[in-house]
Amino acid sequence: MSREATINAAQAINEALHLAMAQDEHVLKFGLGVDDPKAIFNTTAGLQERFGAARVFDTPTSENGMTGIAIGAALAGMRPVMCHQRLDFFLLALDQLVNNAAKWHYTFGRPVPLTIRLIMGRGWGQGPTHSQNLQAWFAHVPGLKVVMPANAADAKGLLLSSIFDDDPVVFLEHRWLHFAQGEVPEGDVRVPLGKAAIRQAGDAVTIVAASYMVVEALHACRALEAAGVHCELIDLRTVKPLDWDTVYASVRRTGRLLALDTGAATGSIAGEIVARASMDCWSALKAPPLRLALPDCPEPTSYGLTRQFYPGAEEIVRCIGKMLGLPSLPLEFLPQRHTHHDVPGVWFSGPF
Amino acid sequence: MLRIRLVEEEIARRYAAQQMRCPVHLSIGQEAPAAAFGFALTAEDQALSTHRSHAHYLGKGGDLNAMIAELYGKATGCCGGRGGSMHLSDPRAGFLASTAIVGNSIPLGVGVALAQQLRGDKTLTCVFFGDGATEEGAFYEAANFAALRQLPVLFACENNLYSVYSPLSKRQPASRDLCVLAEALGVPAVRVDGNDALAVEAAAEQAVAAIRAGGGPRFVECTTYRWREHCGPNYDDELGYRPEGELAAWQARDPLPRLARTLSLTEADQQAMAAEIAAEIGLAFELALAAPYPDASTALDGIYRTELAS
């Protein structure tokens, strides 16, 4: 690690794209706004200047058509990386994703090396159609791989692996994580798909999380540590296929499970984890598993209505406390919020 | 064209035996465009099609034995039994695939054409679709991008007037002209009598030449007619969704005798061709019937190209 400073996840994604495009001339990068002045939150900065407008290009506002075009290009030997500034717009492209990309290898036996970056908003009035976390939808479709990085190093390493994987990958970027600073290895350092990471080892409770919930869980784990409760935190990194070995091994060790999710509770990844762990690790469980996800409700827009909408570190601590029957909760060890609830930091002033 | 007709008539004849256990959409009556475009394209050119794809597959040079075996769900089928009639493919013939959702192979074809342009080779991609697909957003989106990037793609639209049982008159305004529509999107277009094989071939060759010369996409509308039911082996005119006499009028314009007359084929010529083709078809069905099903234990194989641990 020769780099002195940390970088954020948006910069890490940009590095991954530069590396992939330099390494393989078949890598294409397109999506609405990739060459505009905002450069998809700076994740696509400098790509067109370096690799040319044939490989890096803005597109018509045609989510479904452009996804089909990406699949066609992938079938003809390219490695397209598409992006959408909000996942919600990509819902127009579900026909191409579900009926073509996901089924192609199974049906026709030929690979679809396609990566689709979808950014999921939160807060600042993103509201019902700019903040959906639909990882469970994508995970439900056989043939797709679904990746959810939770830090800067993984954003880079998992994106590199996704681009060079021969299957269609839905790469879900939580908008708040774009700002996450971290040490990121220089060069082509890939993080394997399908492998979870244990962010903190412990024996009290297994906490399974992905994407932004890993951040909240880390805060909760540190507060619980201060109270002598050592939780094991699993960052899934890939939610489909999911690293069941790591999850089961941990649950069998701790006997307790809390599954977290950035999406709505019903039919969630967290629900699937609770279901499978209950079926496969029943005899090891010392307490009923718990799940903490978003309410089955569209995200409200108003500053007032979102105040208690998102479960975070405090709710995680309360869940663990309930599960373990803790006499008191170490809430005082949680980081004090110095900013409004609807932004990732004081420096964030919108608009999206 | 005769070969396509005879293959599909044999499928229709044998379908009642319930051994081809998948939906079939026959092109009987509208074979001319498939045959003619097939002539205008090379094996290196790519083609994509729809749920009604037997004719396009065969016209492009797809392997007959592998197609019939696919209809029977056999391991020797072109997709090993995973696709059935609506998902055919023969990469060696440049028939990339047919897909079953209306309009959704059009963007795929444009994407293949994008790759062809980026590679700088002289091949092109032909996308077959019907009039129904011109009502799908996928068509507009894909055609717009093809025009924007001047991609080497040939939009081959077979207008057979019906989307399942729904006539064009219930789906598009009477003043609609599909060629004007394509032109408005920036794709030069031409309409041709889709039951006149030589006229379609001439139009296809002109379009292909223009595309190969770097002229960007072309749209060819072939007016034609499906004789039998939307899905299945039978005639269904008794249902009354088509005006009385319409089918008979189109049958009087059967593309096969028309071409035979133009080419001055004698009855003996035609019988000799039919006999040769019948032998080939007989063998394809024999092979398909004798072939094994894929093993049930392989049903979950191949979901991914790269399997991941766990």
Side-chain angles (χ1 to χ4, degrees):
Chain A
M1 184 78 208
S2 59
R3 197 200 320 260
E4 287 178 12
T6 60
I7 60 172
N8 69 33
Q11 294 167 312
I13 287 166
N14 185 248
E15 275 193 11
L17 290 167
H18 273 274
L19 278 164
M21 297 203 74
Q23 197 171 120
D24 184 346
E25 62 175 14
H26 298 101
V27 176
L28 310 178
K29 177 68 199 160
F30 56 90
L32 196 64
V34 295
D35 62 350
D36 75 14
K38 299 283 182 73
I40 317 289
F41 311 113
N42 281 324
T43 60
T44 57
L47 290 172
Q48 193 178 60
E49 293 83 341
R50 185 169 167 199
F51 300 106
R55 291 175 63 200
V56 182
F57 54 88
D58 205 349
T59 68
T61 318
S62 304
E63 290 82 1
N64 190 48
M66 290 313 302
T67 303
I69 286 163
I71 297 166
L75 290 170
M78 300 293 161
R79 285 190 183 276
V81 185
M82 298 188 73
C83 57
H84 297 271
Q85 303 198 28
R86 283 293 180 270
L87 174 152
D88 317 70
F89 295 93
F90 181 70
L91 299 185
L92 288 161
L94 287 185
D95 168 48
Q96 288 296 336
L97 181 78
V98 175
N99 285 320
N100 282 337
K103 309 289 190 289
W104 207 273
H105 188 263
Y106 183 81
T107 309
F108 296 109
R110 285 191 293 284
V112 182
L114 168 66
T115 302
I116 298 171
R117 296 175 47 212
L118 303 177
I119 296 163
M120 307 183 296
R122 168 168 166 166
W124 198 271
Q126 296 298 295
T129 60
H130 274 51
S131 65
Q132 294 173 84
N133 282 242
L134 297 176
Q135 55 271 22
W137 281 28
F138 300 121
H140 184 71
V141 179
L144 300 178
K145 291 173 178 170
V146 185
V147 176
M148 299 183 81
N151 60 48
D154 276 2
K156 178 179 173 181
L158 288 169
L159 182 57
L160 280 165
S161 291
S162 300
I163 293 170
F164 290 108
D165 192 90
D166 282 338
D167 291 304
V169 177
V170 178
F171 190 88
L172 298 173
E173 297 169 24
H174 195 288
R175 174 68 182 126
W176 282 18
L177 290 177
H178 278 163
F179 310 100
Q181 292 280 337
E183 291 184 359
V184 177
E186 288 185 276
D188 182 5
V189 179
R190 300 183 193 182
V191 173
L193 302 184
K195 284 281 173 214
I198 296 179
R199 296 294 175 210
Q200 178 170 309
D203 54 9
V205 178
T206 297
I207 302 174
V208 182
S211 187
Y212 180 72
M213 283 313 272
V214 174
V215 176
E216 294 290 341
L218 273 169
H219 290 312
C221 284
R222 283 174 196 148
L224 288 158
E225 286 273 336
V229 176
H230 307 289
C231 293
E232 183 141 291
L233 173 58
I234 297 176
D235 173 0
L236 289 172
R237 302 201 283 195
T238 302
V239 299
K240 181 75 175 289
L242 199 142
D243 185 355
W244 293 109
D245 290 347
T246 298
V247 172
Y248 290 170
S250 177
V251 170
R252 290 191 180 113
R253 204 159 49 239
T254 65
R256 294 184 180 87
L257 169 66
L258 169 63
L260 308 177
D261 208 303
T262 57
T266 299
S268 61
I269 301 286
E272 183 68 18
I273 289 166
V274 169
R276 291 216 200 187
S278 301
M279 291 189 294
D280 290 17
C281 309
W282 181 255
S283 58
L285 289 174
K286 300 172 192 161
L290 290 178
R291 171 178 68 182
L292 207 47
L294 262 63
D296 286 316
C297 175
E299 172 174 320
T301 304
S302 160
Y303 181 85
L305 291 172
T306 48
R307 265 196 269 238
Q308 283 149 28
F309 192 77
Y310 289 102
E314 182 178 330
E315 288 73 18
I316 296 169
V317 169
R318 289 185 189 283
C319 266
I320 303 287
K322 183 177 149 195
M323 197 183 281
L324 296 173
L326 297 182
S328 66
L329 297 173
L331 297 177
E332 70 276 20
F333 296 109
L334 288 173
Q336 294 304 302
R337 182 168 276 286
H338 297 295
T339 183
H340 295 286
H341 72 275
D342 64 341
V343 289
V346 283
W347 33 264
F348 186 91
S349 58
F352 65 104
Chain B
M1 193 156 64
L2 177 63
R3 183 165 171 263
I4 295 169
R5 171 74 56 89
L6 295 178
V7 167
E8 292 214 301
E9 284 181 340
E10 189 63 13
I11 292 169
R13 200 179 67 74
R14 294 186 187 236
Y15 195 74
Q18 302 201 349
Q19 288 171 305
M20 283 175 268
R21 303 179 79 84
C22 64
V24 291
H25 303 78
L26 303 180
S27 297
I28 293 172
Q30 58 177 79
E31 303 93 337
F37 279 94
F39 270 102
L41 301 169
T42 70
E44 285 71 43
D45 292 327
Q46 298 295 306
L48 290 102
S49 173
T50 68
H51 55 287
R52 194 179 309 284
S53 64
H54 303 164
H56 306 135
Y57 171 97
L58 293 171
K60 190 70 175 60
D63 184 86
L64 175 63
N65 294 343
M67 179 182 111
I68 300 300
E70 187 63 32
L71 268 54
Y72 279 87
K74 296 301 182 72
T76 51
C78 58
C79 290
R82 287 166 177 233
S85 162
M86 293 191 284
H87 302 92
L88 301 178
S89 179
D90 188 343
R92 276 172 304 182
F95 188 85
L96 182 67
S98 55
T99 67
I101 305 298
V102 178
N104 94 343
S105 59
I106 303 174
L108 300 182
V110 172
V112 175
L114 172 66
Q116 288 168 324
Q117 186 188 64
L118 288 171
R119 277 200 303 266
D121 60 30
K122 280 285 162 204
T123 59
L124 62 87
T125 299
C126 177
V127 195
F128 292 100
F129 54 93
D131 46 297
T134 66
E135 290 147 24
E136 297 284 1
F139 166 67
Y140 296 84
E141 296 184 3
N144 175 59
F145 187 73
L148 176 74
R149 301 279 288 219
Q150 290 292 286
L151 298 178
V153 60
L154 174 49
F155 296 106
C157 177
E158 291 172 2
N159 180 356
N160 70 9
L161 304 173
Y162 291 86
S163 182
V164 192
Y165 298 126
S166 305
L168 201 50
S169 61
K170 287 185 184 171
R171 296 164 18 231
Q172 298 189 23
S175 59
R176 172 66 45 74
D177 178 327
L178 293 180
C179 288
V180 173
L181 185 67
E183 298 255 6
L185 290 165
V187 183
V190 62
R191 181 180 303 105
V192 62
D193 178 351
N195 280 21
D196 181 343
L198 292 179
V200 178
E201 194 192 350
E205 274 172 359
Q206 239 177 5
V208 165
I211 295 166
R212 284 206 214 285
R218 289 292 184 276
F219 180 97
V220 179
E221 178 191 357
C222 308
T223 51
T224 187
Y225 201 75
R226 147 174 72 77
W227 291 6
R228 302 202 183 204
E229 59 193 334
H230 159 69
C231 181
N234 303 308
Y235 289 91
D236 66 351
D237 239 33
E238 75 283 359
L239 296 176
Y241 68 99
R242 308 199 279 202
E244 209 169 312
E246 189 177 82
L247 171 62
W250 280 93
Q251 284 180 315
R253 300 177 52 203
D254 186 344
L256 283 167
R258 244 169 118 173
L259 181 64
R261 275 196 302 275
T262 315
L263 298 178
S264 306
L265 294 180
T266 65
E267 197 60 33
D269 291 336
Q270 292 177 62
Q271 277 174 9
M273 286 167 72
E276 194 185 322
I277 294 166
E280 187 198 3
I281 293 171
L283 177 65
F285 278 88
E286 208 175 291
L287 289 171
L289 285 163
Y293 285 110
D295 196 291
S297 68
T298 64
L300 304 187
D301 293 350
I303 298 166
Y304 294 119
R305 181 65 152 207
T306 316
E307 296 291 341
L308 304 174
S310 192

